[in-house]
Amino acid sequence: MHTPEGSVAARYAGLVLEHRGTTLKEGYDSRTCLETPCAGLRASRRDENDLARLPTAVLRAQTLVGEPSAFIREHMRFHALVVELAGNQTLAVLNGMVRHIIDQANWSHVDLDAGSPENIRANKRGLRAHERLVELVAARDVEGAEGLWMRHLQEAEDYLLQNREMATVLDLLD
């Protein structure tokens, strides 16, 4: 039996959302709802694997901070890893559907903004949030991890949605 890929569900969900006129803001808000508790779950249940994989992911991003396109891809992998490490397959599939849209929006934004002073500042702030999350997970600080992650996601949303001509999923996926 062939196991279906999560990307199939993501593409289908994108089509459904596209035809419902879903806004990009709704997509980012959904990401916050999915990822924030996953950051807390990691802090409450962390193990040695987490303490190896999360810092390794941060180190990969640190080496790419001067390459905006490569950096944003590594940055997004870290977000996916936070959800993956929560260990909940339902959340992982739902997150994959939302990530399909968010990733498209992020790549689009980086293409327009790569290397600008604002982009560099946003990337460095994001990287610091990832580094801090690793510290909070190691300390098993659930509230701190959730609070940090919610602030990080809100800052990213504010940055990525400012001055956007694309307001809906349809604008993005066309």
Side-chain angles (χ1 to χ4, degrees):
M1 177 178 198
H2 178 66
T3 303
E5 294 288 324
S7 61
V8 173
R11 283 191 300 276
Y12 183 74
L15 286 171
V16 171
L17 294 172
E18 174 182 335
H19 290 285
R20 289 184 176 202
T22 303
T23 65
L24 288 177
K25 179 164 182 16
E26 288 175 298
Y28 282 105
D29 290 347
S30 297
R31 175 178 76 163
T32 299
C33 290
L34 290 167
E35 285 189 27
T36 299
C38 290
L41 280 171
R42 263 314 69 201
S44 70
R45 300 182 193 163
R46 70 121 169 107
D47 59 25
E48 293 308 312
N49 181 48
D50 301 338
L51 297 179
R53 289 182 71 191
L54 289 171
T56 299
V58 167
L59 288 173
R60 281 193 309 267
Q62 287 171 337
T63 66
L64 298 170
V65 78
E67 302 172 44
S69 292
F71 175 81
I72 195 64
R73 282 171 171 70
E74 200 59 48
H75 190 86
M76 292 182 308
R77 283 186 197 105
F78 186 89
H79 282 252
L81 181 61
V82 168
V83 175
E84 175 191 328
L85 291 176
N88 184 307
Q89 290 304 306
T90 302
L91 285 174
V93 169
L94 292 172
N95 185 62
M97 291 187 296
V98 171
R99 291 224 60 78
H100 176 72
I101 294 162
I102 298 298
D103 290 354
Q104 294 296 324
N106 289 350
W107 293 326
S108 166
H109 193 279
V110 167
D111 287 343
L112 298 172
D113 199 26
S116 72
E118 190 172 46
N119 173 254
I120 292 167
R121 269 192 309 279
N123 287 348
K124 288 181 179 179
R125 283 183 64 84
L127 186 57
R128 281 194 303 274
H130 291 196
E131 293 165 344
R132 182 69 181 133
L133 182 65
V134 170
E135 294 168 2
L136 293 167
V137 166
R140 296 185 192 273
D141 184 345
V142 174
E143 285 182 29
E146 288 180 353
L148 168 78
W149 211 242
M150 184 172 283
R151 285 187 306 278
H152 169 57
L153 293 171
Q154 186 58 59
E155 287 175 4
E157 177 182 326
D158 292 346
Y159 167 69
L160 291 163
L161 290 179
Q162 70 184 353
N163 304 320
R164 292 298 299 247
E165 292 186 21
M166 292 178 288
T168 67
V169 173
L170 178 61
D171 297 327
L172 179 65
L173 299 177
D174 274 351

